[in-house]
């Protein structure tokens, strides 16, 4: 999806960096569902990691395992999520 990111505010006073869009909202929701010290990623992120790893042909510095499914806002289907852990 589309993400709009950039600085918001007055050029000579207070400025904030902000990112808006459905991917940001999805990431925030997935993050909110993680337990303490847990990192979750969606199946789309996992697919991109597999694609990049196939191209680079290097070991990942972390492991990940299926961690269930979440129903994301605005989507009637469930999205698989993966829990990230320290690499071996």
């Amino acid at each position: 999806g589309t993400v709009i990111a950039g600085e918001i505010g007055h050029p000579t006073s207070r400025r904030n960096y902000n990112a808006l869009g459905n991917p940001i909202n999805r990431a925030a929701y997935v993050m909110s569902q993680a337990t303490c010290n847990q990192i979750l990623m969606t199946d789309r992120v996992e697919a991109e990691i597999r694609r990049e790893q196939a191209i680079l042909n290097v070991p990942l510095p972390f492991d990940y395992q299926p961690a269930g499914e979440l129903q994301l806002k605005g989507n009637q289907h469930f999205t698989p999520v993966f829990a990230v852990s320290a690499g071996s």
Side-chain angles (χ1 to χ4, degrees), residues 1-8 17-26:
T2 302
V3 172
I4 298 170
E7 292 181 343
I8 298 173
Y17 187 83
N18 205 345
L20 306 168
N22 284 336
I24 303 300
N25 297 337
R26 280 192 302 271

Side-chain angles (χ1 to χ4, degrees), residues 4-18:
I4 298 170
E7 292 181 343
I8 298 173
H10 193 275
T12 59
S13 62
R14 183 177 175 161
R15 298 178 67 88
N16 289 316
Y17 187 83
N18 205 345

